[in-house]
Amino acid sequence: MTPLSRIRNVAIIAHIDHGKSTLADRLIERCGALDAREMRSQVLDSMDIERERGITIKAQTVRLAFTANDGEAYEINLMDTPGHVDFGYEVSRSLAACEGSILVVDSTQGVEAQTLANAYLAIDANHEIVPVINKIDLPAADVAGVRTQIEDVIGLEAGDAVLVSAKTGLNIEGLLQAVVDRLPAPKGEEAAALRALLVDSWYDPYLGVVILLRVFDGRIAKGQRIRLMATGAIHEVERVGVFTPKAVVVDTLGPGEVGFINAGIKTISECQVGDTITEDRRPAAQPLPGFKPSQPVVFCGLYPVDSADFADLRESLAKLRLNDSSFHYEPESSAALGLGFRCGFLGLLHLEIVQERLEREFDLDLVATAPSVIYRVTTRDGALREIHNPADLPDANHIARIDEPWIRATIMVPDAHLGGVLALCQDKRGVQIDLTHTGERSMVVYRLPLAEIVYDFYDRLKSVSRGYASFDYHMDGYEESDVVKLSILINAEPVDALAQIVHRARAESRGRAVCNKLKDLIPRQLFKIAIQAAIGGKIIARETVSALRKDVLAKCYGGDITRKRKLLDKQKKGKKRMRAVGNVEIPQEAFLAALKSDGR
């Protein structure tokens, strides 16, 4: 059993691609947690989707054993966290389970937007921070410049920053020694009532629900009856263990330790991330503070391609939410797509990852509707409603005002690309708040409508900056806005799955883009199909899918013109009748293509 004074709980935080997962690999290698044949790159990125995209999506934990310069053996619980803004909730959960952070900064890129955001999350969590300058083996490394940036932009003392190369393993020993020397040991009372923080959970088809926890007070052991304080559920602990990174069963977990338990939990709703686990026989008086629930900012509908898969989708969403508590879902129905779920996400990448995980891990075929944000609608009778589905927007005559969400965005960009970034922000209805320079880089702070970010802002930002700009944002209240519901009509029938809430100035261009796409995607019928975009009763864009024409005059060889006209008139009447009763089937690929961003 390791004494409290020789335990260190530490999170690795950084911007995307600054080398967190590679650094975790070197630390695991140096501490001998895995032997050479078991090692692979980004060993903590366990999901296929993480390895394919080269990003960390889920925070992972590993226990390392390190013998310091003083000859003492230390237990280091290391958490590798994501870097993308959409997974900030994973970072905050990991920080709640630790006392210190390793802040990794790329020596060739310097301080970027998520470096700043994650450093502030660590400061808010009262963490001691060890700055680490990575990739010092590269020819473009600028250690002195990055030290200055850390001090000027973040405000951290960087004179004693640890210089490492995660790729070559240079100075990994020095970093482990710095963690032991400079980060505080956890506090806790072994004799006190058990209090453990539920940091994460996931569903295992053989074991049921697996819980990742950090013990603050007391001990947890096999056979103990525990209570989850938020839900009141009582279970008996069947297995206690730690990740090294392989799952290793241990007898008990004490104060300051991070590990996992199985307690035969079958009901997914009993596990709430941030809950406090205590002993049923001797419960704690007060739960731990936990962490505030995540607030989804982007919504879309997810529907099964085959309506018979609805029950499978419901079960899959419940299992996935256990592993990712930052997305929310509720059932909804659509005339065009049948039964499905309205889901809330922390951003577009989060939406994309959840959809891909549902399709891969649960073998589902899904259709996603256009992403939207939460609008606050005040009706003429004074009622306030929150709307994130365009189908729920009241009639324009009943609306007094609509407020849309705004964000405060921080963009770090080299001076050479500053003009393009400013022009993009202006085009997206942005309001400039601040502009500062550090060396050859600029930090721009803008207020922007969240709805403009949802579509294609990130892609266009990377284009105008040639990939050098970095972007982070947080919510910044609501403001009144001139937004309207853009309806898409096929043969005068509204298709609710394609409806969008857009700013009036953008409505016509977006309506034209959707109509153009649908014209190419909807198969031709024996009658004309009108595709229209409308605001209320006003049509703002139209395209027509021309009818397939049967040659009714093929059997007429010469003869009187009146006979030919009679046949053509008969055909015209038939087409008119077909159009009145004809049903236009919109193929799934047409939905998918129409719902993708139109690049405006």
Side-chain angles (χ1 to χ4, degrees):
M1 200 176 87
T2 312
L4 264 177
S5 62
R6 293 212 294 276
I7 296 175
R8 298 291 183 271
N9 295 317
V10 57
I12 305 182
I13 56 174
H15 187 79
I16 312 149
D17 287 339
H18 279 211
K20 295 179 298 299
S21 298
T22 309
L23 185 60
D25 288 351
R26 296 295 82 75
L27 293 168
I28 290 168
E29 218 167 47
R30 163 61 187 81
C31 295
L34 292 174
D35 57 38
R37 67 185 175 80
E38 293 173 307
M39 273 306 293
R40 57 177 185 170
S41 60
Q42 280 83 46
V43 71
L44 293 184
D45 289 347
S46 52
M47 286 192 285
D48 289 343
I49 193 169
E50 290 180 309
R51 307 185 71 76
E52 282 169 23
R53 289 174 176 252
I55 58 172
T56 301
I57 295 165
K58 288 293 299 174
Q60 299 289 348
T61 181
V62 58
R63 177 186 284 194
L64 303 174
F66 172 65
T67 305
N69 291 343
D70 58 5
E72 295 283 6
Y74 285 84
E75 175 192 306
I76 299 174
N77 292 306
L78 185 73
M79 288 201 176
D80 178 25
T81 65
H84 197 282
V85 61
D86 284 15
F87 306 114
Y89 191 60
E90 285 286 323
V91 180
S92 66
R93 277 165 37 186
S94 302
L95 295 177
C98 300
E99 285 77 32
S101 295
I102 296 171
L103 178 68
V104 183
V105 185
D106 185 332
S107 62
T108 63
Q109 302 287 334
V111 172
E112 302 210 48
Q114 276 301 111
T115 316
L116 195 64
N118 287 339
Y120 287 158
L121 279 176
I123 291 165
D124 288 345
N126 296 319
H127 274 210
E128 285 292 326
I129 300 174
V130 175
V132 173
I133 299 176
N134 190 20
K135 306 187 187 181
I136 60 166
D137 58 312
L138 296 179
D142 177 16
V143 173
V146 171
R147 270 203 176 109
T148 307
Q149 279 187 32
I150 293 171
E151 291 178 351
D152 292 353
V153 180
I154 304 175
L156 281 177
E157 177 59 50
D160 56 354
V162 184
L163 309 181
V164 303
S165 167
K167 189 176 177 184
T168 64
L170 181 67
N171 200 25
I172 295 300
E173 182 89 27
L175 173 56
L176 285 164
Q177 190 61 46
V179 165
V180 165
D181 293 341
R182 290 159 58 180
L183 296 184
K187 295 182 174 67
E189 292 290 330
E190 192 176 337
L194 171 66
R195 288 200 308 168
L197 179 69
L198 199 161
V199 180
D200 200 1
S201 54
W202 57 93
Y203 190 82
D204 185 291
Y206 303 105
L207 301 167
V209 177
V210 182
I211 292 174
L212 181 71
L213 50 80
R214 151 75 199 271
V215 180
F216 281 84
D217 294 311
R219 297 196 76 79
I220 192 163
K222 183 180 176 180
Q224 197 171 359
R225 284 178 68 79
I226 55 164
R227 183 190 301 172
L228 288 90
M229 292 182 82
T231 57
I234 298 168
H235 294 278
E236 186 173 314
V237 178
E238 295 172 355
R239 194 171 75 134
V240 179
V242 296
F243 292 107
T244 67
K246 293 176 287 191
V248 175
V249 175
V250 297
D251 295 330
T252 67
L253 289 172
E257 293 190 300
V258 177
F260 69 87
I261 60 165
N262 293 111
I265 300 172
K266 302 287 189 293
T267 322
I268 289 162
S269 58
E270 290 177 6
C271 284
Q272 293 181 9
V273 166
D275 196 357
T276 300
I277 297 170
T278 189
E279 196 175 358
D280 180 43
R281 189 171 48 83
R282 189 170 63 121
Q286 288 293 323
L288 294 160
F291 15 81
K292 62 182 185 201
S294 64
Q295 291 297 320
V297 294
V298 176
F299 287 82
C300 85
L302 288 180
Y303 294 85
V305 168
D306 181 356
S307 55
D309 291 339
F310 175 74
D312 291 343
L313 175 58
R314 181 174 54 209
E315 194 179 321
S316 304
L317 282 167
K319 287 177 180 174
L320 192 61
R321 189 171 191 293
L322 184 71
N323 186 226
D324 181 359
S325 62
S326 55
F327 89 90
H328 299 252
Y329 66 95
E330 58 188 38
E332 72 167 5
S333 63
S334 154
L337 298 171
L339 291 171
F341 290 91
R342 193 80 189 161
C343 303
F345 306 91
L346 299 183
L348 273 191
L349 179 66
H350 190 208
L351 183 161
E352 209 177 303
I353 295 296
V354 168
Q355 188 181 349
E356 199 164 331
R357 285 186 70 185
L358 285 167
E359 288 173 348
R360 282 185 185 208
E361 295 173 25
F362 302 100
D363 201 24
L364 295 166
D365 283 332
L366 300 174
V367 174
T369 62
S372 67
V373 299
I374 299 178
Y375 294 91
R376 287 182 179 164
V377 178
T378 308
T379 52
R380 294 202 183 276
D381 57 6
L384 179 67
R385 291 173 60 188
E386 290 198 338
I387 303 286
H388 50 70
N389 188 346
D392 297 337
L393 196 67
D395 188 78
N397 298 326
H398 299 146
I399 297 173
R401 63 180 278 166
I402 302 178
D403 294 339
E404 71 171 332
W406 282 63
I407 60 164
R408 192 181 183 94
T410 305
I411 301 167
M412 314 282 283
V413 62
D415 289 344
H417 305 297
L418 180 60
V421 169
L422 294 177
L424 172 63
C425 291
Q426 291 297 123
D427 182 48
K428 294 291 187 181
R429 300 190 280 133
V431 179
Q432 188 174 318
I433 304 295
D434 194 14
L435 173 58
T436 52
H437 298 274
T438 309
E440 293 180 0
R441 293 167 66 82
S442 299
M443 184 170 83
V444 192
V445 181
Y446 256 89
R447 285 192 81 237
L448 290 153
L450 179 61
E452 298 287 348
I453 303 300
V454 162
Y455 280 95
D456 59 349
F457 181 83
Y458 198 70
D459 292 341
R460 287 183 62 190
L461 178 68
K462 289 295 178 190
S463 296
V464 299
S465 67
R466 296 190 183 171
Y468 285 108
S470 62
F471 169 66
D472 174 60
Y473 68 85
H474 60 263
M475 299 305 293
D476 195 30
Y478 278 75
E479 273 185 23
E480 187 174 359
S481 182
D482 184 16
V483 295
V484 292
K485 178 181 173 183
L486 177 68
S487 305
I488 302 296
L489 296 89
I490 309 288
N491 262 4
E493 288 291 320
V495 182
D496 57 349
L498 296 176
Q500 301 175 30
I501 299 174
V502 296
H503 194 267
R504 195 181 294 275
R506 298 260 190 276
E508 188 179 336
S509 61
R510 202 159 279 162
R512 281 189 193 286
V514 174
C515 290
N516 267 323
K517 278 186 180 172
L518 287 174
K519 182 189 175 188
D520 298 332
L521 293 162
I522 292 177
R524 291 168 70 190
Q525 310 276 341
L526 288 168
F527 52 90
K528 279 197 297 189
I529 302 170
I531 304 167
Q532 298 166 310
I535 299 173
K538 184 183 177 187
I539 305 297
I540 58 168
R542 174 183 168 129
E543 293 290 342
T544 305
V545 179
S546 56
L548 287 169
R549 186 169 176 272
K550 182 183 175 186
D551 189 1
V552 291
L553 305 181
K555 60 189 177 186
C556 299
Y557 300 99
D560 187 14
I561 186 68
T562 54
R563 184 164 172 245
K564 294 181 182 178
R565 195 160 286 145
K566 193 175 176 183
L567 286 168
L568 289 169
D569 287 345
K570 189 178 177 185
Q571 184 187 38
K572 201 182 289 179
K573 278 181 189 168
K575 284 189 183 294
K576 194 173 180 182
R577 192 164 62 250
M578 279 172 75
R579 188 174 177 203
V581 299
N583 189 19
V584 182
E585 287 291 325
I586 305 174
Q588 295 293 356
E589 56 269 23
F591 270 116
L592 291 170
L595 294 174
K596 280 179 185 164
S597 164
D598 50 52
R600 280 173 164 70

